[in-house]
Amino acid sequence: MSEGRGISAPGAGASQVNWRRLSLAIVALGGLIVLSANAHLVYVAVHSQPECVPHAKSGSEGGALRAASPSC
C-alpha cells in the first residue's frame, strides 16, 4: 500500500519527490523575491534626490505648467 506518500513505481523509492516541501519552497522563494523587490523600490525612493530642473516661476508664460512648491 502507498500509505499516503503518493503513488510510485516499485523500486523508485530513492527518487520520490516530496511535492509538499517543493511547493512550499517555491512559494517561499517567490515571496522572498517580491519582498526584496519592494524593499529595493522603497530604498531607491527614499535615498534618491532628483536634481532641480528649470521650470516656469510664474503662470504667465502662455499657460505653462509649473511646480506647485519648488524645493530649489
Side-chain angles (χ1 to χ4, degrees):
M1 225 13 87
S2 64
E3 297 182 16
R5 295 184 186 258
I7 300 172
S8 62
S15 65
Q16 190 176 23
V17 176
N18 190 343
W19 291 107
R20 180 173 287 167
R21 286 187 182 175
L22 181 63
S23 62
L24 288 175
I26 291 171
V27 168
L29 181 64
L32 185 63
I33 290 171
V34 168
L35 286 176
S36 63
N38 284 333
H40 177 259
L41 289 175
V42 168
Y43 174 80
V44 169
V46 169
H47 289 93
S48 67
Q49 182 65 33
E51 297 292 327
C52 290
V53 294
H55 59 274
K57 299 286 182 186
S58 66
S60 64
E61 297 180 11
L65 299 176
R66 61 188 174 119
S69 59
S71 63
C72 53

